[in-house]
Amino acid sequence: LVFFIYVVSAINSTTDSAFLNDRIRMKLPFLFLPFAFSVFANNISALQYRLLIFLFMILSFVTAIFITFDFYSDYIDIVNSYNHGHTVETPFSHVRYSLMIAFSIICGAYLFFKRFFLFYHWERWLILAATLFLIFFQHLLAIRSGILALYLCAGWFLLDQGFRKKNLKASLLIGFILLLAPLAAYLLLPSVQMKVNYMRVDLKELLVKGNASYSDGGRILSIQKGLEILKEHPFTGSGIGDLQTEMKVKLENSTENPNDVLLPHNQFVFIAAGTGIFGLLVFIAAVFLPLFSKKHLRNPLFVCFNIILISSFLTEPTIEEQIGTSFYLMFLLLIYVFVLFNDDEGSL
């Protein structure tokens, strides 16, 4: 469905063939990967599945170790850079990376409670230690998309334990952590303090002075301009191939002085502005359709993965980059197909 939204919208695109071709190319995995993953069906065992989850979590942990070392080896300069809207260097897009770290934390918790180990039972405690380190690392990074996704997942666990499982002790513990963790992170981690202070200045510049030259201001302005394009072309959008051209005109004629010509920093607005209200409705249906299965809704890994990605759609065009598309489809399909054919993958 996602692929064909873009293909149909290509009919309405006339000005920028290079951008259009790039959008279609970026969506080809949405056409082919579901067929590729259908080969797995009953052919992947629980051990193989958990080994893949474990491999992803360990790779994330290793990169986190190296980035933490870099952070503290140049501590003063990096912390000061947070006060100017920058972050410590990550392997690729820092927002997508933070989403992967959030999911790695959920993977670690999943493996721990599933009592996963390779050779010795005590290995699960190492998995727990690595998971706790990743929670610390997520706050050290101070990338809001990843932190928000992590807390939303914790909020889902709180509701699941409190209302569905009637486990009051677990829900109270999660609630206590949700209250304490952000306060502790702000008090103990300068990167979090700098990020919060920068965000305050950024929003003040936009809301009070009408200046969108800061990063958050530019992102908010890009969403506003995307909604303006939707209002002008409510049914068909600008045409997905013409969206970049339309945004450039909107931003260059704005009074808020953005530093860059940004595409809408919201996946839903991106789709709406490019393909119109009908394209948006099909996209929403495609994204939420996998969650209409009761069996999958009982699986915490699947639910949390969707929480992480869908929450990122509100502040980023997450699947408009190759790394975002790969992350989204690989794990969405892997978990969906495995849970579909395995009855022991319910709630933790």
Side-chain angles (χ1 to χ4, degrees):
L1 287 173
V2 173
F3 172 77
F4 285 110
I5 293 169
Y6 281 65
V7 169
V8 171
S9 183
I11 300 170
N12 191 40
S13 304
T14 58
T15 61
D16 193 341
S17 59
F19 183 74
L20 173 62
N21 292 337
D22 190 56
R23 293 306 94 200
I24 299 296
R25 177 185 59 83
M26 198 70 67
K27 296 300 172 288
L28 281 172
F30 282 89
L31 177 64
F32 292 114
L33 277 181
F35 292 103
F37 271 84
S38 68
V39 174
F40 283 115
N42 285 316
N43 298 325
I44 181 169
S45 69
L47 177 60
Q48 291 171 325
Y49 171 73
R50 288 169 189 168
L51 279 171
L52 289 171
I53 299 297
F54 177 68
L55 175 62
F56 174 75
M57 185 245 177
I58 289 300
L59 287 173
S60 300
F61 174 73
V62 170
T63 62
I65 291 288
F66 279 103
I67 293 172
T68 301
F69 177 79
D70 288 342
F71 187 100
Y72 284 106
S73 64
D74 195 12
Y75 180 80
I76 295 176
D77 287 341
I78 289 177
V79 167
N80 287 335
S81 73
Y82 274 77
N83 205 30
H84 300 284
H86 303 296
T87 63
V88 64
E89 187 175 350
T90 56
F92 40 81
S93 163
H94 62 277
V95 173
R96 277 76 172 172
Y97 180 72
S98 73
L99 298 176
M100 292 186 186
I101 294 298
F103 184 57
S104 297
I105 293 167
I106 303 302
C107 289
Y110 164 83
L111 293 169
F112 177 78
F113 285 108
K114 287 293 184 180
R115 300 182 180 275
F116 171 85
F117 63 90
L118 291 175
F119 304 106
Y120 304 102
H121 289 278
W122 51 261
E123 291 173 15
R124 62 190 292 258
W125 296 102
L126 295 180
I127 291 174
L128 177 61
T131 303
L132 293 174
F133 172 78
L134 286 171
I135 293 173
F136 159 77
F137 176 70
Q138 184 76 298
H139 290 87
L140 183 71
L141 274 181
I143 298 171
R144 290 159 300 177
S145 296
I147 292 175
L148 173 64
L150 181 61
Y151 282 114
L152 287 174
C153 290
W156 177 82
F157 276 114
L158 185 153
L159 294 174
D160 184 61
Q161 293 292 324
F163 290 97
R164 194 170 68 87
K165 293 191 173 181
K166 310 297 181 184
N167 190 339
L168 184 59
K169 289 183 179 179
S171 59
L172 286 175
L173 176 62
I174 296 171
F176 176 74
I177 294 172
L178 279 172
L179 291 173
L180 182 63
L183 178 62
Y186 181 79
L187 293 176
L188 299 176
L189 295 175
S191 57
V192 175
Q193 296 172 15
M194 294 296 185
K195 179 66 76 171
V196 171
N197 292 337
Y198 178 81
M199 184 173 65
R200 288 173 180 167
V201 172
D202 193 337
L203 293 177
K204 183 179 179 181
E205 286 290 321
L206 177 66
L207 300 176
V208 177
K209 301 180 182 180
N211 177 18
S213 61
Y214 288 69
S215 60
D216 284 345
R219 290 182 173 92
I220 293 171
L221 183 63
S222 73
I223 295 172
Q224 291 175 346
K225 297 306 179 183
L227 291 173
E228 287 181 12
I229 293 173
L230 175 61
K231 290 180 181 178
E232 294 172 2
H233 312 279
F235 300 112
T236 62
S238 64
I240 201 70
D242 296 347
L243 181 57
Q244 183 171 251
T245 302
E246 293 271 351
M247 285 295 296
K248 183 177 181 181
V249 172
K250 290 283 184 185
L251 291 169
E252 287 179 347
N253 293 333
S254 69
T255 59
E256 291 87 355
N257 303 312
N259 285 335
D260 301 303
V261 175
L262 298 174
L263 293 164
H265 265 249
N266 179 303
Q267 188 66 59
F268 297 108
V269 174
F270 189 104
I271 297 288
T275 68
I277 192 68
F278 295 118
L280 175 63
L281 291 175
V282 175
F283 178 74
I284 291 172
V287 167
F288 286 96
L289 191 61
L291 289 166
F292 277 79
S293 163
K294 289 184 179 180
K295 188 175 183 180
H296 289 85
L297 278 177
R298 291 195 301 268
N299 184 271
L301 206 59
F302 187 74
V303 172
C304 286
F305 178 77
N306 280 276
I307 288 173
I308 290 167
L309 268 294
I310 293 172
S311 68
S312 77
F313 288 173
L314 300 177
T315 55
E316 289 286 327
T318 310
I319 57 173
E320 299 305 323
E321 289 185 6
Q322 187 178 37
I323 190 68
T325 295
S326 301
F327 177 49
Y328 179 57
L329 285 176
M330 291 296 287
F331 284 102
L332 178 74
L333 295 168
L334 174 66
I335 302 171
Y336 186 87
V337 169
F338 181 73
V339 172
L340 188 65
F341 293 99
N342 289 269
D343 296 327
D344 65 337
E345 284 299 306
S347 298
L348 297 179

